[in-house]
Amino acid sequence: MLKYPMMDWSVVLTVFRALIATAGLVLIGRLTFARHAYLSTRAYVFFAMAALSFLGVAYWGFIHLSDPASGLAVTHVLETLYAIGIVGGLWEHMHADRQRLKDSQKLMEQRRLAFNVAQKRAQELEILAHITRELTSSLNLREVLQAVVDRALQLGEADAVAVFVPNKETGELTDFYLTSGAGDRAGPQPTPRPNGLTASVARTGEAAFISDAPHHPLYEDGLYPDLRSIASLPLRLEEEIVGVLNISYFRPHRFDDEEKHLLSTFADTAALAVHNAVLHERIATLAVTDELTGLANRRRFLQSVRAELQRARRYQRPLTMLMADLDQLKQINDQNGHAAGDAMLRGVAQCLRSCVRDTDVPARLGGDEFAVLLPETDRNHALTIAERIRLAVEDFRAAINGAEIHSTVSIGVVSRDGGDLPDLPTFIHLADDALYRSKLMGRNAVTALEAPPAPPG
């Protein structure tokens, strides 16, 4: 039989160990250079240790190839260093993987927070867009201010909201327009004080957010014991302050940066809406107001006469019209200048306002001609009011360039019951006739037309 030589298992074991060592070194090398971003210096030290010891074992074994036993001790040392390098490298890679996992989780959390913030911003923008459409859908100042209050109450999750706008005559924040509260939590709101928060915000144009109102210097006087927190924001359009928005809380409330930004953006939107409404109101007022005297103009007066004629006929109520003329206006202008004439016209307007009721409509029809519409007024009461106006104008004095200016007024009165009221042109014509009769009597007089005779029964 043929005999095969015995296999040298030591050679096989050596080759296997060499392959395993090479594979381990290649693995560590690939990990080291592929994931270097998270590796520390120790990882490179361990890799260098494994690589050098691997080369050392190979070199030392080649030198003692004929007598392996003579280099056995050195080989064991190098193999130990190799094992330390491999194990240390793997440990460093495990640590790097854990760090990379933490960073990935942190990045995912940041992305989640960023997504939530973006989603919240989108919702806020949608809310603000809806609010903008709502606020700009009306040019009625009262409606706009009410919408501002309601939306601020909702947006700020507040207990009460107040809007202050400047007085159109004085410019001061004295008009307390609206207040609204959430349920039963609404209470008295801080009204503007000369040195208070609202006045300060209106003066500086800077928003104020007070989280602890009871201990704030502006509220230490205890005038508002229920107030715990308040945000006061200017309604500013460019450099003009068109109002102040106060958002109040009767419970502790902290204003974070996001809420401050949201409320400030809302205030800017509200400012534009309020400005447009105020401007529209001014234009509408100018359209029906006499510029010199501030009384209703001819257009507004005729509108009022039409409405009151219909009402008086429907409910069978009396209606009276006064037609008045300032006597000798041309002479006053010729002798003292038009400034004197304007002063007398303003004086007549002042007398009319002081002698009639809030429900009456005094007007300047043009030039030196005035009129007063007196609803619910019979002939006797109308004559009393007309005589009061005549005496007031007669007593009025205006000083122009050192000269005292005065004049008188002629008045015509026409009064009818609801069933005897003529149409509008005839009503005015009758009042003109009565005025003309006062002029014929020598001016500074009151004349009333007699009522038409009652129809036979």
Side-chain angles (χ1 to χ4, degrees), residues 46-67:
F46 284 127
F47 174 71
M49 181 186 299
L52 292 175
S53 60
F54 176 82
L55 294 175
V57 170
Y59 176 74
W60 199 261
F62 178 78
I63 293 176
H64 297 84
L65 188 60
S66 58
D67 187 13

Side-chain angles (χ1 to χ4, degrees), residues 274-452:
V274 172
H275 172 77
N276 290 340
V278 170
L279 186 61
H280 179 267
E281 189 177 74
R282 289 176 183 171
I283 294 173
T285 301
L286 289 175
V288 295
T289 303
D290 177 65
E291 185 177 0
L292 177 63
T293 64
L295 298 178
N297 62 10
R298 178 181 291 271
R299 178 184 179 185
R300 170 68 183 282
F301 183 74
L302 294 179
Q303 290 174 346
S304 299
V305 175
R306 290 189 186 95
E308 288 299 332
L309 280 172
Q310 292 180 0
R311 193 182 70 84
R313 291 192 187 103
R314 180 181 304 150
Y315 298 106
Q316 295 296 300
R317 304 301 300 168
L319 183 64
T320 297
M321 182 186 298
L322 308 184
M323 197 69 73
D325 228 20
L326 178 61
D327 297 328
Q328 299 177 334
L329 176 62
K330 184 178 184 303
Q331 183 179 347
I332 293 174
N333 286 332
D334 293 342
Q335 293 179 354
N336 302 279
H338 287 280
D342 289 347
M344 281 306 307
L345 291 171
R346 285 193 291 268
V348 173
Q350 178 181 330
C351 294
L352 291 178
R353 277 191 290 262
S354 64
C355 294
V356 301
R357 305 160 299 183
D358 292 339
T359 55
D360 300 330
V361 183
R364 182 190 177 201
L365 303 184
D368 57 359
E369 190 176 11
F370 294 83
V372 181
L373 184 64
L374 303 172
E376 299 283 343
T377 306
D378 59 24
R379 183 175 182 273
N380 292 334
H381 284 92
L383 286 172
T384 301
I385 295 172
E387 182 63 20
R388 188 186 308 151
I389 293 172
R390 187 193 67 78
L391 291 173
V393 174
E394 187 177 39
D395 293 338
F396 177 79
R397 298 291 185 273
I400 300 295
N401 298 326
E404 186 179 81
I405 309 301
H406 63 91
S407 185
T408 57
V409 68
S410 300
I411 303 175
V413 179
V414 59
S415 182
R416 294 287 186 270
D417 291 329
D420 298 326
L421 283 169
D423 57 23
L424 188 148
T426 303
F427 201 34
I428 294 177
H429 179 70
L430 292 173
D432 275 332
D433 282 349
L435 173 62
Y436 180 69
R437 295 184 186 185
S438 291
K439 291 284 190 181
L440 290 178
M441 292 173 60
R443 302 185 180 90
N444 192 23
V446 175
T447 302
L449 290 184
E450 296 297 329

Side-chain angles (χ1 to χ4, degrees), residues 156-161 188-190 197 208-216 219 224-232 246-256 259 263:
E157 297 181 353
D159 295 322
V161 174
Q189 295 304 292
L197 177 65
F209 298 90
I210 300 176
S211 296
D212 188 11
H215 296 94
H216 193 275
Y219 296 104
Y224 306 100
D226 294 331
L227 186 65
R228 291 294 177 267
S229 304
I230 184 171
S232 186
N246 285 350
I247 303 174
S248 305
Y249 299 84
F250 305 143
R251 48 186 162 74
H253 183 83
R254 294 290 175 183
F255 300 98
D256 57 28
E259 186 176 17
L263 294 178

Side-chain angles (χ1 to χ4, degrees), residues 101-227:
L101 179 60
K102 290 181 180 179
D103 290 346
S104 298
Q105 292 174 342
K106 184 177 181 181
L107 181 60
M108 291 297 294
E109 180 65 18
Q110 290 175 347
R111 289 180 176 176
R112 186 185 66 81
L113 293 176
F115 175 78
N116 290 339
V117 170
Q119 191 175 35
K120 186 175 181 180
R121 286 285 182 270
Q123 292 174 350
E124 291 174 357
L125 289 174
E126 184 178 355
I127 292 173
L128 289 173
H130 174 73
I131 290 174
T132 301
R133 289 192 297 271
E134 181 179 1
L135 294 182
T136 55
S137 63
S138 174
L139 288 174
N140 182 284
L141 180 59
R142 198 83 184 168
E143 293 178 359
V144 169
L145 290 175
Q146 186 64 62
V148 169
V149 167
D150 294 340
R151 291 296 156 256
L153 193 69
Q154 177 185 11
L155 198 63
E157 297 181 353
D159 295 322
V161 174
V163 177
F164 302 87
V165 297
N167 184 290
K168 59 184 177 182
E169 296 180 358
T170 65
E172 298 178 355
L173 280 170
T174 55
D175 289 350
F176 180 56
Y177 262 59
L178 296 169
T179 183
S180 180
D184 297 331
R185 293 177 295 176
Q189 295 304 292
T191 54
R193 296 169 289 174
N195 298 315
L197 177 65
T198 304
S200 174
V201 170
R203 184 171 56 254
T204 63
E206 298 294 332
F209 298 90
I210 300 176
S211 296
D212 188 11
H215 296 94
H216 193 275
L218 291 175
Y219 296 104
E220 286 181 343
D221 53 13
L223 290 177
Y224 306 100
D226 294 331
L227 186 65

